[in-house]
Amino acid sequence: MAGQFQKENSNHKRRQFWQSHLDAWTLTELSQAEYCRQNNLQAHRFTYWKRKFYRENLPVEFVRIPERPIKSNCFFQGSSTPLRLTVGSRFTVEIPDGFSPANLEQVILTLEEV
């Protein structure tokens, strides 16, 4: 139990350390590399934490999937390999065996609107 507390405390301190450096860097006009040199930081670790905090703070967006009638009864069942639907370079959706045709159509229609 004590070991878990120490680990959580250590993680918290690490996060605070990098957050304070990222906050300080944004107040300067220095490049990341120069800031890291002046503060004796490893540039790759700086970049890692910058990306980590950025990803954690991305807003969550929900997309409404419209309900529409199924236009076709064409659906393949019994495939051992999941169907992979790729839409340009933006989306790849893996569809497992037994996925509902109605849900698949709603996903496709939603992707067409994005």
Side-chain angles (χ1 to χ4, degrees):
M1 188 69 93
Q4 180 67 23
F5 175 75
Q6 289 174 338
K7 183 178 179 182
E8 288 175 12
N9 192 32
S10 175
N11 289 340
H12 181 71
K13 286 181 181 180
R14 189 177 302 118
R15 287 181 69 81
Q16 283 184 321
F17 172 84
W18 285 106
Q19 185 65 64
S20 67
H21 274 292
L22 286 162
D23 292 344
W25 169 68
T26 60
L27 299 174
T28 72
E29 294 185 10
L30 299 174
S31 68
Q32 281 183 214
E34 185 58 31
Y35 181 86
C36 290
R37 271 192 292 280
Q38 288 184 14
N39 290 277
N40 212 18
L41 300 171
Q42 294 180 358
H44 72 278
R45 299 303 301 162
F46 186 93
T47 300
Y48 167 84
W49 282 96
K50 184 175 106 174
R51 286 183 180 155
K52 181 175 179 62
F53 289 133
Y54 174 77
R55 283 191 308 267
E56 288 175 359
N57 292 315
L58 286 176
V60 175
E61 293 184 36
F62 293 96
V63 177
R64 179 161 167 51
I65 299 177
E67 294 184 29
R68 297 197 181 149
I70 298 174
K71 298 174 189 166
S72 164
N73 290 330
C74 180
F75 188 71
F76 302 111
Q77 292 186 351
S79 171
S80 61
T81 312
L83 174 65
R84 187 168 287 144
L85 172 66
T86 302
V87 181
S89 60
R90 294 179 60 199
F91 304 104
T92 299
V93 178
E94 193 168 285
I95 301 147
D97 190 29
F99 190 81
S100 161
N103 289 344
L104 176 57
E105 183 177 9
Q106 288 178 347
V107 168
I108 293 169
L109 291 172
T110 301
L111 291 175
E112 286 176 344
E113 294 176 5
V114 175

